[in-house]
Amino acid sequence: MKKIVLATTALFAIMGAHAADQATVDTYNKTCVICHGTGAAGAPKFAVADEWAVRLEQGMPALVKAVDGGMGAMPPKGMCTTCTPEEFEKLITYMSTGK
């Protein structure tokens, strides 16, 4: 019985992780792809490591702060005015790695 409970718990955890990943992809497709899909206005393009390298060296807190306050042509919070700092972290990771 314990094995069934553990297996079920693990399955729900995996499903929850998949849902979070899909939510990130959906948010990217609704808000970030506008600029990061093409590199518009100098935005680093999706999963182009060279374009993200210098930015990632700053560290995630600095990147989230830049998104929150706006940077270059990107307005504060980009196009996702309801995103939380945690969601921005997931979006940055997704955009910079494609994963």
Side-chain angles (χ1 to χ4, degrees):
M1 183 66 166
K2 287 182 183 179
K3 288 182 182 180
I4 293 172
V5 171
L6 289 174
T8 303
T9 302
L11 178 61
F12 283 124
I14 291 168
M15 290 171 55
H18 178 70
D21 291 343
Q22 189 59 50
T24 299
V25 172
D26 291 345
T27 300
Y28 168 80
N29 287 330
K30 290 177 187 172
T31 61
C32 309
V33 72
I34 296 164
C35 294
H36 291 280
T38 64
K45 290 188 282 284
F46 179 81
V48 177
D50 291 345
E51 294 185 18
W52 283 96
V54 173
R55 291 164 176 89
L56 292 171
E57 287 175 4
Q58 299 172 31
M60 190 60 74
L63 290 173
V64 171
K65 183 177 179 181
V67 173
D68 194 54
M71 180 175 209
M74 183 177 68
K77 294 191 173 273
M79 299 299 289
C80 188
T81 58
T82 61
C83 283
T84 66
E86 293 78 18
E87 289 168 316
F88 283 132
E89 286 185 26
K90 290 179 183 179
L91 286 163
I92 291 165
T93 299
Y94 177 63
M95 287 189 288
S96 64
T97 65
K99 299 176 187 173

